[in-house]
Every structure is written in C-alpha cells, then in structure tokens.
Amino acid sequence: MNMAPRKRSSRGFSFIFCCFRGSDHPEITYRLRNDSNFALQTMEPSLPMPPTEELDVMFVELVDELDLTDKHREAMFALPAEKKWQIYCSKKKEQEENKGATSWPEFYIDQLNSMAIRKSLLALEKEDEEERNKTIESLKTALRTQPMRFVTRFIDLDGLTCILNFLKSMDYETSESRIHTSLIGCIKALMNNSQGRAHVLAHVESINVIAQSLTTENIKTKVAVLEILGAVCLVPGGHKKVLEAMLHYQKFASERTRFQTLINDLDRNTGRYKDEVNLKTAVMSFINAVLSQGSGEESLDFRVHLRYEFLMLGIQPVIDKLREHENATLDRHLDFFEMLRNEDEMEVAKRFDVVHIDTKSATQVFELVKKKISHTDAYPHFMSILHHWLQMPYKRSGNTLQYWLLLDRILQQIVLQNDKGHDPDVTPLENFNVRNVVRMLVNENEVKQWKEQAEKMRKEHNELLQKLEKKERECEAKTQEKEDMMQTLNKMKEKLEKESQEHKAAKKQAADLSAQIQDLSNRARFSGVPGGPLSPPGAPGGPLPHSALGSIGGPLPPCAPPLPLFGGLPPPPPPLPPGGPPPPPGMPPLGGVLPPPGAPLGPGNMKKNIPQPGNALKSFNWSKLPENKLGETIWKDIDDLKVFKVLDLEDLEKTFSAYQRQQKETDSNEDTLNSTKKVKELSVIDGRRAQNCNILLSRLKLSNDEIKRAILTMDEQEDLPKDMLEQLLKFVPEKSDIDVLEEHKHEIERMAKADRFLFEMSRIPHYQQRLQSLYFKKKFAERVAEVKPKVEAIRMSSKEVLQSKNLKQLLEVVLAFGNYMNKGQRGNAYGFKLSSLNKIADTKSSIEKNITLLHYLITILEKKYPKVVTIHDDLRSIPEAAKVNLIELDKEFSSLRSGLKAVESELEYQKSQPAQAGDKFTSVVSQFIAVASFSFSDVEDLLLEAKDLFTKAVKHFGEETGRIQPDEFFGIFDQFLQAFAEAKQENENMRRKKEEEERRAKMEAQMKEQRERERKARKAKEGGEEEGEFDDLVSALRSGEVFDKDFKLKRNRKRVTSQVTDGSRERPVTKLNY
C-alpha cells in the first residue's frame, strides 16, 4: 500500500491504516520525500529479528510513544512478530534521520519569546514577517509529526504559556496577519493528542486567551478559534470552560453580552462568498455545540435559558436571512438549530398543557404563570412580587437597569442551580446558593435566635479578648521585668564576687601595713633605752626634742568636738513659724513705726468693695501686678468701682457663666420615649484644652479613680499604655488651673468631665513627677533596646575592619592597581584614602563601555584571590554601623542619664514623705532604679569600648580621628560593598548572557540544517498530511455529522458514510474519549 511520507506517521494513524485495510498483512512501503514520481520501495529490516520476548518489550515502547487509542493499541499488539519488527525498524530509521529532535522545543520556545518581545510588525520587512510565519508553521508541523517525546518536552518547557503570552501581547498588525492564524494552528496541533489536549484544558487561562482571538478581523483565524471552542464543548468538562471563556471575552472586548460578536458575524456581509460562508458555518456549528452539549444534553431548562440569550440578540431573523446562501453544510446547521428549538418549545408547552407558547407575548406568559400557581400557597407570594414590581424604579437614568438585572440573575440561578449548589452556566451571582437560602428562609425564626445568640457571644468574646489582652500586657511586663532583674542580679552577683575578692585583698594589704606600722612604732619606742647611742634631735631612731617629749609625756589636750560629716557646716537652727511671733505690746513692728490712729491702711491691707456674682464665672487669665509695685503708677489714679455702676452685671454673668448647658438623656420606666433635660455643668478651664482632654479620656476608657490608682501603684495592672501616658503628660494640671479649680472644689459634683479629671489629678502629691517617672520606667527598656544595637554595630564593625584579612588583601590589590595605572606624582603611593574605594567604578574600560575597573577587579579576585570575593562575610555589621550617628547616640545616652537622675531624685523625695494608702511608688521605683542603673552602666561601658575600638580603627586606616564619624567612616565601606555586590552580579549576568548566545547560535545552526532537509518535503506534507483525533472532531463539527444522532427531520437526506477513504480524512465522531 502506498503512503505519503511522514516523520511521525503514527500520530496520524499511518501504520494503523496500512496494517488493517484487508485480511492479509500488507508490506509497509515508503515513498521518498524529494521526488513524488520516484518508484516505491519495500521497507525490509536490515537487522536480524530479536527473540519474541525482547521484541515485545521494544514494541511496547514504540506503541507507547505513538499515543494510540486503546482499540488501535490492541490491533497493533495483534500483529505477527515479523510485522512488528518491520514497523519497529522503519520507525527507528526515521528517528535516526531526525537525530536531535528532542532538543528542538527549546529553539521554538526561544523564537516565540523573542517574537513576543518584538510585538510590532511595522518595523519589520516582508521577508522578516515571512520568516516568523515559517518558524511558527514549522512548530505546527513538528507538533503534529514529531515523536511523542517532542510534545512531552514542549509541554515540560511550558511552551503553551509562550504561545499564549505571544497571543496576549500581539499588536493590531500582528493579530491581522497569518502569524495569528498559525499560532492558533499550533494550539490545535497540540490538542491533537491526549497529553497535549489535557495540558491545554488544564491550563488556567488557555481557553480564555484563545477566545480573545475572536476580536480579529482575519476570517481564517476566527474560523480556527470557533472550531477549537466548538470541539472543546464536546470534550468532557470543556463545555463550562467555553462558557467562562465567552464571559471573559465579553469583558475583554467590552461587549454588551457574551455572544454579541457571534451574532454580528452571522449578520455581516464581507463580499467574499467562500470566506463568508465558512465563517457563518463555523459560528452556527459553535452555537449548536454550546446549546446541545454539556448540561444541554440532559437539561431542558438550560437549553431554553441559553437559547433565549441568542434569541434576545436577534438570531432568528438572521437565520432566515442565511437561507439565501443555499449552502448545504450551512443549511444543515440552521436546520439543527431550528429543530432543537421546536422540540424544546413543545416540551415546555406540555408543562402548561398548551400547544404553543408565544414567548414574545408578555400577556400570554403572565396568564400561563398565573394559571399555573392560582389556588396554591405560592400565589400570595406571586402577588407580593407583582406589588413590589410596581414600586420598582422606572427611571432611565441611574442604576435602574442594575436592579432589573439583579432580579433576572437571581431567577436564572433559581431555575438552573441543582440541589448540590452547582451551576451549569457561569454563576450569575457568586456565593449565592439557592438551596442554602431556601433552608434559611424555612428556619427564619431559628436563624433570628442564632443571630441574637451570636451577637451576645460576640460581645462576650470581645470583652474576654480585652481582658485577655490586658492580662497578656501585664504578664509581658512582669516577665520582662523578671528577665531584666535576673540578668541584672547575675551581673551584680559577678560584680559583687569580683569586688569581694578585691576587698579581701585590700583588707589583707591593710593588715600587713598595720603590722608594719606597729613594728616601726615599737622600734621607735625602744630606741631611747639608756646605754644606747644618742642620736641628733629629730633624727630617725634618735631621742625626740624636749618639746616633743613634753607633748608625749604631758597631759593631752581635751578633745575637740567632732566635725560635721563630710566637712560640712552644722545644720542651721529650725526656721521660725510663718509670720514670726507678734511683737510685744508697745513695740513698733520691724522696719517702721505704727501708723497714727485714723490713718488709712497700707496697700497690703486694702480691700475693695467689689460686687460678687451670683454664680461662678469663667476666669480671666491675667497677670496681677504686685501691690508693692503700684507706687507712683497710673494704677494709683484708677478707680474701677465707678465702672461697676455703669456695667450690666447680670448680662456679664449670663454671658460668661462657668456653667455649660448640656442635654442629658434620661430613661423613664413609664414612658418609652427619651426625654432630655438641661443641667448646669461647671467648666472653668480653656475650652480647647477641655475638648482635647475629653477626647483623651474617651480613648483611655478608665474612670478618674482607676487612673489615680494606676498612678499611685505605678500601673501594676498595665492599665496605662505608653502612648496614653505620653498624652497624659500633655494634660498635667497647671498652677492657674489648680488655683481656679480650688476655688470651686465645693462644687466638684457639678464639674465638667475634663475639669473633674484635672481636679482629681491635682490632689495626687507630685502628680507630674510621678507621671514622668512612670513614663520613663515604661520606656526605659525600649530605649535601651534601641541604643544597644547601635553601640554593638559600631563595636562589631570596628573589630571586623581591624581583623579582616580579606579586606587587607583587597586594599593591597587596589593599591597595586593604582600604582600601576597612575604615573608621576599620583603614583608611587604607600597607601590611599578609604574614600578612593568608591571611585574605582568611575574608571571605564576603553574596550567595553559597560565594563569598569571594579568589574575587572572582581574578575581578577575571582581568579587569583577567590577568598576575597566573600568579603561580605567578614563585614556583616557594616550596613548597620553606617546608619549610626554618634552625636545623636550621645544625646540619647545623656537623655537616659538625666532621666535616671530625675527618677532617683523623685524617689528620694517620696521616701522623705509619709506613706499613704495604696502608694507603691517607693517600692516599685526602688526596684526599678536598682535594675535600670546597672543596665545603663553596662550599656555605657559598652559605648566606651565601642568608641575606643572605633578610634583604633580610624587610626588603623590612616584617617584623622575626631574629624570622621562612624556613619561616614563605615558608610564608605557600606557603599563599596554594595557596588562590589552589584558589579559581581553584573559580571555573572554577562557571563550567562554570553553562554546563552553561544547555546542559541549552536541550536540555530542545527535547526538551519534540519529545516533545509525539510524544506523540499513541506509542500508534499501540507497536501497529504493526515489528521489526528482533534482534527477528526473539528471536521465532524464543521460538517455537522456530530449532531447526526439528534437529527430527526422528516425529510430524506443521505447520511454521510463513516468509512474513511484515502482522499478524505473526515469521519463522524460524536464524543471524544477523554
């Protein structure tokens, strides 16, 4: 039997047809590709046939690679051993001719990616466009004809995604060219085998991207897309994917409905009869596949629902118009559409016991529904729906349309959704389960109770959460305090042991010195024994002078009284009580004489007869002039008593009354309505200050007593967060506030909320100092934790640059580069400034502008000094140290030091005061000071060590100490390390790019050779290429044979035979085994 030559004839079932067309097993023949007139030759195996068992194993591998159906596989295995060996040798010979085929997918994928980057065809010559199209056509042929491993490799390399990305990124010119058609053909070829088809259907966006191609004006492309989508409808699980793809296309093309474009194509005249008929046939075959496949096979409701969408777009008049084309294939699809519609309408009419339903008549539809549900429990709800429809908005503007669209979609989902909550069509409303909603309506009362119970539980849950958060804060604070204290105690224990040893050593040394002094004293005493030689007066070991002896032997003078401690003066006498004792009768007061009788009193005793207001007024914050400074001033001649006679004091009192009117809601047991009554509220502080204070208290959510208790106990229960304490410090009662509030303390119950708060807080002794101490205590650990990493960064970075051998080696290489490249005074250097490191990248290569001295330096280091390239591992702390400003760090330490001193001062003051109930300041702060002082001294010692190491590091690199700060010094290293890493990565990228270019050039050379071999046979292949499973499906869909099982028209027509001839590959396929 003669066969057209193929690289992969198995994919088109060439072997199957050659083996099963007759009772005898025919010989396999082979036609040379270069000359179609060349004589046919018999393919005889040149090698001896192996044993049967070995041949079966080899043949299984070959059949697996052919991707045959189960039926064809069984037929292949039923062949005799001679035929199996003949087929095997023929296939292996083809594979030998096409060596390297498995590496081709990489070439095609690279080409697709490069084409996708060059999106526009405007800048391309016609030859370039032809070359691109040939490459894609070559890929399409390879996907159809190459061995199965080619397709597997293409899938593994994600070739489908490359095709889809190309489709998504095309410009208008490309989308209208043959390239677009060829890309769709590649997808169609990939789907021509089970593995490729499964991969396309499993891809997240493949069907959506294919549907996007419907926007093109290229008829061939559009026909190919419609054939793929129609065939996918026939594949199990594919129908819903197609509906989703059409919904995606609606949004992509900004269409009113998802099938609008299809109806437009049906009704459009292009003037080219053949193309026009092909397009309209493809559209109608797609519509019939959508209506009759998937859920439409069994569900009448779904078919009616989907068909109504087409009818609303006006498909029926278009179908009547299409009859004018008088094309048999097109008429076949039109007949099937109308036949299926008539059958469905008859079935729906039977439900209502009528012959026909005019769906265009709203009156008839309403009467049928009314008749169906009259005298049923649903009728009241039907009337309720009608009544509410009367109240629906009918304006043409606004969101009126969306209301009706919502009702339409709800009804669609009620009709279509099955009992399991699955929707055959794309879900009109997401997360809308009809069954669940109905169940909720049935148990509406239970749901209401559940909601109330859930709300109650939610409130209880929130309350428990708040309590839990409060307890967690308290536990965290206690745990942190415990950890800090244990750490401090351990350090104090070590320090105490060290000091104890030093004390023992000092005590022993003092004892030794005391023994020596005693020994010297004894020697001095016995040196004056009779018979001994006399020494000069005052000489060591000689007799003392007479005066000295007298002082020793004579009586000692009386002891002077002991001096005060630390050489201070004795304490002064206690002060006199305020005002001092009254002078005795008859004595004038100090500094003056008694005024004569009848004379006016002095300024200190002056009291004006000022009228008093009936109610408290707002205070006028003035600065009163002291009475002793009145003297000869203008105030001496001013008499304000005259003004009171002129003023309207009642109006003044009404305007500036300290009482504010507020509305207070009161509940009455007899009356359910809320009534408001006006109460007078006293407010004497500034209005804006009072408003801000009220905002703070509302956020704090604590009563005045709770705040007071928290401050006295130093917030043992963690009621006051740090941010709230910071805000409270802004509302410390000022002296003016306290003076005014004290005047109205008898009216405390009528004070406003802010006034009452300030008054209550002013009663706490040293309120401001307590608040500041509490805030410092809460912030201390956080502030120490902020400064300690900065100190550690300076200390560690200084150590790293001092000890790094790789850094030393790097500087050595850079020094060598500089001395070699520089001449004259700039060269012959023994060292260089560190800032020069960041100038290395400024020197550009004279050969390649993208190469700098830094790139070259890294290349040399990788070859000659590979360890230096890992310099980042030696200098890990540099980036953090480069951010540290030592001046700001010293300021922070100074602030911590002064804050500790302030807390200590307040502690000393509180110790001197009598303790009051509930006051735990002394105990809590004493414990805090013990821990905090030691922690701070520890960090201070660390800072001194860091500064010392930093100074050494600066000197080590020849920089000037005192002029350079850590951020500048370590910033040089940090900037260099970043540039070093970037240049290293750029070197790596350039190396990879070069390797990729070499690999691509090699692959292109191989592909060029292969394409040269295929060039002469391409025309023969295109003419005689056999089709696969998916092609059969598309062919059956195009001709309408796929609908034959449902085609029951009365008129006679010849049924197309299912036998496949050599001249035609079409055969009826109703469902793909998938």
Side-chain angles (χ1 to χ4, degrees), residues 545-792:
H546 178 72
S547 59
L549 289 171
S551 66
I552 293 173
L556 292 172
C559 294
L563 294 174
L565 191 62
F566 301 118
L569 296 176
L576 295 173
M587 291 187 64
L590 294 174
V593 296
L594 287 171
L601 296 173
N605 296 324
M606 262 200 279
K607 188 173 182 181
K608 292 186 177 182
N609 187 18
I610 299 174
Q612 297 298 317
N615 294 313
L617 301 181
K618 287 187 175 290
S619 59
F620 171 33
N621 294 325
W622 64 6
S623 298
K624 214 165 98 175
L625 194 65
E627 294 172 357
N628 59 0
K629 290 188 178 181
L630 294 177
E632 299 296 328
T633 64
I634 190 174
W635 303 105
K636 184 179 179 182
D637 300 326
I638 289 179
D639 184 9
D640 58 335
L641 297 178
K642 300 176 184 177
V643 182
F644 290 119
K645 299 177 181 178
V646 181
L647 291 177
D648 185 354
L649 298 180
E650 290 183 3
D651 183 62
L652 180 64
E653 181 177 345
K654 179 181 178 182
T655 305
F656 296 99
S657 173
Y659 296 105
Q660 297 178 346
R661 296 182 180 273
Q662 288 191 349
Q663 289 186 345
K664 183 179 178 183
E665 294 184 356
T666 59
D667 297 329
S668 175
N669 292 331
E670 291 89 15
D671 191 2
T672 58
L673 296 175
N674 292 329
S675 62
T676 60
K677 67 177 183 178
K678 298 179 180 178
V679 295
K680 290 185 177 181
E681 196 175 66
L682 179 64
S683 178
V684 294
I685 63 173
D686 179 66
R688 182 176 293 276
R689 182 172 166 81
Q691 182 182 2
N692 293 336
C693 186
N694 283 327
I695 294 172
L696 171 63
L697 294 174
S698 64
R699 290 175 57 194
L700 198 55
K701 297 179 181 178
L702 293 175
S703 65
N704 291 344
D705 290 337
E706 288 173 333
I707 298 174
K708 186 175 180 181
R709 184 179 68 250
I711 293 172
L712 289 174
T713 60
M714 294 302 285
D715 198 19
E716 272 189 337
Q717 298 183 356
E718 296 294 327
D719 291 322
L720 302 174
K722 285 176 280 192
D723 57 336
M724 290 293 105
L725 278 174
E726 187 176 4
Q727 295 299 319
L728 281 172
L729 284 169
K730 298 178 183 178
F731 294 96
V732 173
E734 299 175 356
K735 188 177 182 306
S736 59
D737 296 332
I738 296 173
D739 293 341
V740 175
L741 291 169
E742 282 290 336
E743 294 178 4
H744 302 283
K745 62 182 179 181
H746 58 283
E747 299 178 286
I748 186 172
E749 296 299 332
R750 291 194 293 174
M751 282 186 182
K753 187 176 181 180
D755 297 60
R756 178 74 177 266
F757 167 73
L758 294 178
F759 178 75
E760 294 281 358
M761 296 304 108
S762 67
R763 312 299 290 178
I764 301 175
H766 269 221
Y767 169 70
Q768 183 174 0
Q769 291 80 356
R770 286 174 180 268
L771 205 57
Q772 289 171 343
S773 300
L774 178 57
Y775 182 66
F776 182 83
K777 173 180 174 293
K778 283 181 175 285
K779 291 283 289 184
F780 178 78
E782 181 182 328
R783 292 175 67 182
V784 170
E786 286 178 358
V787 298
K788 194 170 182 178
K790 297 178 182 178
V791 177
E792 278 289 348

Side-chain angles (χ1 to χ4, degrees), residues 11 104-113 115 131-146 150-151 154-155 159-160 162-163 166 182-183 185-187 189-190 1007 1011 1014 1018 1025:
R11 293 276 299 280
W104 293 344
E106 288 88 343
F107 170 78
Y108 288 117
I109 289 171
D110 287 343
Q111 290 295 317
L112 286 171
N113 289 333
M115 291 179 196
E131 190 65 26
R132 294 172 72 178
N133 191 52
K134 284 181 181 178
T135 302
I136 299 174
E137 283 291 331
S138 178
L139 171 61
K140 182 174 75 172
T141 303
L143 288 170
R144 287 180 178 275
T145 60
Q146 289 300 327
F150 179 92
V151 178
F154 185 79
I155 291 172
L160 176 61
C162 296
I163 296 176
F166 194 1
S182 300
L183 285 171
C186 288
I187 298 177
L190 182 62
M1007 190 59 197
R1011 286 172 65 183
E1014 292 183 352
R1018 185 175 292 120
E1025 189 176 274

Side-chain angles (χ1 to χ4, degrees), residues 17 88 100 140 168 184 300 307 319 337 361 379 422 552 660 731 769 772 859 878 891 919 957 976 978 1003 1006 1054:
F17 297 141
Y88 182 83
K140 182 174 75 172
K168 289 191 290 185
I184 297 297
L300 170 65
R307 186 183 296 107
I319 288 177
F337 178 86
S361 172
Y379 189 76
H422 298 157
I552 293 173
Q660 297 178 346
F731 294 96
Q769 291 80 356
Q772 289 171 343
T859 305
I878 291 291
K891 286 182 181 178
D919 189 356
F957 289 97
F976 173 73
Q978 289 180 15
M1003 189 177 295
Q1006 293 177 354
K1054 292 184 179 180

Side-chain angles (χ1 to χ4, degrees), residues 366 373 377-392 394 407:
F366 172 78
I373 63 173
D377 294 339
Y379 189 76
H381 299 288
F382 175 67
M383 291 303 299
S384 175
I385 291 172
L386 294 178
H387 282 298
H388 286 92
W389 273 350
L390 289 174
Q391 300 171 10
M392 284 281 286
Y394 291 92
L407 285 175

